[in-house]
Amino acid sequence: MSKKLKLAIISTPRRLRSNQQQIDNVIPSERSPYFGQKSDHSSAAYSVEDGSSTEVQNKINEEIASETRLPKTSNESEKSQRKRKNKKGNAPLKIKYDKSENIESKNKSDEKDLTSKKDEKVEDDLGNASNWMPSNWNSILKNIKEMRKYKTAPVDEMGCHKCADPNASDPIFRYQCLLALMLSSQTKDQVTHAAMKKLITYGCTPSTIIATPNDVLVKLIHPVGFANKKAEYIKKTSVILLDKYNGDIPKTINELCNLPGVGPKMAHICMQIAWGEISGIGVDTHVHRICNRLNWVKKPTKTPEETRKELEGWLPKDLWNDINYLLVGFGQEICLPRFPKCTECLNKDICPFVRKK
């Protein structure tokens, strides 16, 4: 027997044993049919001697190779697929979430909360609801009342509510209140009060004013601003009142505003001092200026009428009666049009106008 054959007979069982152990370690439950029984030297020698050792060895090697190739796990296969897709430039995987009922209900509740917050109204200290209110308005108004408590401003003694004859009949008293308001436009209270004194002394009734020549009427009301135009308005209004209202004045805002030379400010104040009714806030140049300085309007207003609408939108109605006189007197003494006395004002620490200076 040659040396090669001896070596083959000796080495074959070792290979078989080592291969058998390798397969047992890898997949113990699935053995190759070639390793159903333990191989011994005789079988190995037989396979070598009958010339089939090469074929058996090849089959053994193929079986070992196929068995030792472990299948990739599902995670590894998914990762490899993702890598291949990413290499090809495909879009990244998108994860779709199933909307559960809890999530939908939560979203709906969040939307309701947002809408409720949008519709939420602010309440002031008096419980009046409003969509918007300026900051610190109550403290500012309280300080203004404190500064106005002595009533030393011109409006307190010579305002339109002080111009009519208290001894006159009710219709004549109301007529004189209306005339005083018509003269007060663009005119200081002192001048208006002096003009009304002259008219009352002359005879301030609708019939008397109608019979008065225009030049005489202009001299009586001089030096009010725009005396000629106001004299014309007074005569036309007196004719309407005498013909349509029997010498009295209308009792509604619309009818008052339809009279020549009468605007919303005059009409609202006239309703207050002549009829004792609060229909709105009278806003003149003082109120208009102060409301813009205090940021009592959402955005700067250009006309007193715009300011009136803004102010009526948030100010509690029980304050409408006094707000005109409070702010007018405050504007005449402290919050002047030019060179306001901010250092003397109680609101100097919280006033927006002072901060801008």
Side-chain angles (χ1 to χ4, degrees), residues 213-266:
N214 286 345
D215 57 341
V216 175
L217 187 58
V218 170
K219 290 179 180 179
L220 287 171
I221 64 175
H222 187 79
V224 298
F226 308 100
N228 293 329
K229 197 67 176 176
K230 288 179 181 178
E232 180 183 346
Y233 287 151
I234 287 173
K235 291 198 76 170
K236 289 181 179 179
T237 297
S238 299
V239 172
I240 295 173
L241 296 180
L242 196 61
D243 294 343
K244 192 174 180 179
Y245 299 98
N246 197 24
D248 207 340
I249 66 172
K251 200 176 181 179
T252 64
I253 291 294
N254 292 334
E255 289 178 303
L256 285 170
C257 289
N258 287 332
L259 297 174
V262 179
K265 180 208 81 170
M266 302 176 194

Side-chain angles (χ1 to χ4, degrees), residues 135-248:
S135 59
N136 298 326
W137 73 269
N138 224 336
S139 300
I140 291 174
L141 185 60
K142 184 179 179 181
N143 290 334
I144 292 175
K145 289 180 179 179
E146 178 65 22
M147 290 182 281
R148 293 275 291 114
K149 67 180 180 180
Y150 296 111
K151 297 182 179 180
T152 55
V155 69
D156 297 315
E157 294 296 330
M158 291 174 282
C160 293
H161 62 295
K162 295 286 187 178
C163 291
D165 183 6
N167 299 319
S169 62
D170 290 342
I172 298 301
F173 176 83
R174 290 190 284 265
Y175 172 75
Q176 292 177 0
C177 288
L178 178 60
L179 259 59
L181 286 165
M182 294 175 69
L183 295 177
S184 67
S185 177
Q186 303 294 321
T187 305
K188 292 183 178 181
D189 289 331
Q190 300 92 318
V191 177
T192 302
H193 189 269
M196 282 302 300
K197 285 293 182 183
K198 288 190 289 183
L199 279 177
I200 291 172
T201 302
Y202 177 81
C204 191
T205 62
S207 57
T208 304
I209 296 298
I210 293 172
T212 303
N214 286 345
D215 57 341
V216 175
L217 187 58
V218 170
K219 290 179 180 179
L220 287 171
I221 64 175
H222 187 79
V224 298
F226 308 100
N228 293 329
K229 197 67 176 176
K230 288 179 181 178
E232 180 183 346
Y233 287 151
I234 287 173
K235 291 198 76 170
K236 289 181 179 179
T237 297
S238 299
V239 172
I240 295 173
L241 296 180
L242 196 61
D243 294 343
K244 192 174 180 179
Y245 299 98
N246 197 24
D248 207 340

Side-chain angles (χ1 to χ4, degrees), residues 91-97:
L93 294 174
K94 294 182 179 180
I95 301 173
K96 294 182 179 180
Y97 296 95

Side-chain angles (χ1 to χ4, degrees), residues 29 41 55 67 81 85 90 94-95 108 126 141 193 198 204 206 218 241 254 261 274 292 297 305 308 319 341 345:
S29 61
H41 292 283
E55 184 179 355
E67 294 292 339
Q81 289 177 3
K85 286 183 179 180
N90 293 339
K94 294 182 179 180
I95 301 173
K108 289 180 180 179
L126 301 174
L141 185 60
H193 189 269
K198 288 190 289 183
C204 191
V218 170
L241 296 180
N254 292 334
N292 277 271
V297 290
E305 182 62 13
R308 180 187 68 82
L319 298 176
K341 302 176 182 179
C345 182

Side-chain angles (χ1 to χ4, degrees), residues 27-38:
I27 307 176
S29 61
E30 296 181 2
R31 289 191 174 188
S32 171
Y34 296 102
F35 297 95
Q37 297 178 354
K38 290 185 179 180

Side-chain angles (χ1 to χ4, degrees), residues 10-25:
I10 295 169
S11 61
T12 299
R14 292 178 181 174
R15 290 196 197 101
L16 292 175
R17 284 196 297 271
S18 63
N19 291 336
Q20 181 70 28
Q21 291 175 358
Q22 186 176 1
I23 292 172
D24 289 342
N25 292 333

